[in-house]
Amino acid sequence: EAKFKNLTDGFLSKDLPLVMPALGLPDEPIPLWWTTDFILSSPEGTPAEEEKWIVGEFNCSCVGISRCLAAYCKDDTPNACYDDITAEDKAEADKYGKIMGEKALAI
């Protein structure tokens, strides 16, 4: 998304190559399926190209597919299941799953 171009470009080109070495795992690949939560640290009104972002957390042990949230059981939806996901969201989730499967098989 254009709004986050500075964040995306900076993270992918400058920061990402430093992640595994910083964790003491310089010879390991990044996890196959993971997420990063970013926190905007710039004052309100900072131009997008000058914004500074901080990583709040990395998550690679319990990554969800947002398109499947309708199947997530909670106090108010204790019987949620796969059938509660819309056909459109199932199709998108299936695409993500296929991509991950192809990447995993290539390792």
Side-chain angles (χ1 to χ4, degrees), residues 23-76:
L23 296 172
L25 302 166
D27 298 324
E28 295 293 325
I30 60 170
L32 180 63
W33 187 269
W34 63 301
T35 62
T36 304
D37 291 343
F38 293 96
I39 300 168
L40 178 60
S41 64
S42 301
E44 189 172 332
T46 301
E49 62 276 1
E50 296 174 20
E51 289 177 339
K52 302 294 182 207
W53 294 82
I54 298 169
V55 171
E57 73 173 338
F58 292 108
N59 187 345
C60 59
S61 63
C62 185
V63 176
I65 298 175
S66 61
R67 295 289 191 143
C68 296
L69 286 176
Y72 176 59
C73 294
K74 305 181 293 282
D75 288 341
D76 61 333

Side-chain angles (χ1 to χ4, degrees), residues 2 10 19 27 31 73 75 77 80 86-87 98 104 107:
V19 169
D27 298 324
C73 294
D75 288 341
T77 56
T86 66
K98 286 180 180 177
I107 294 176

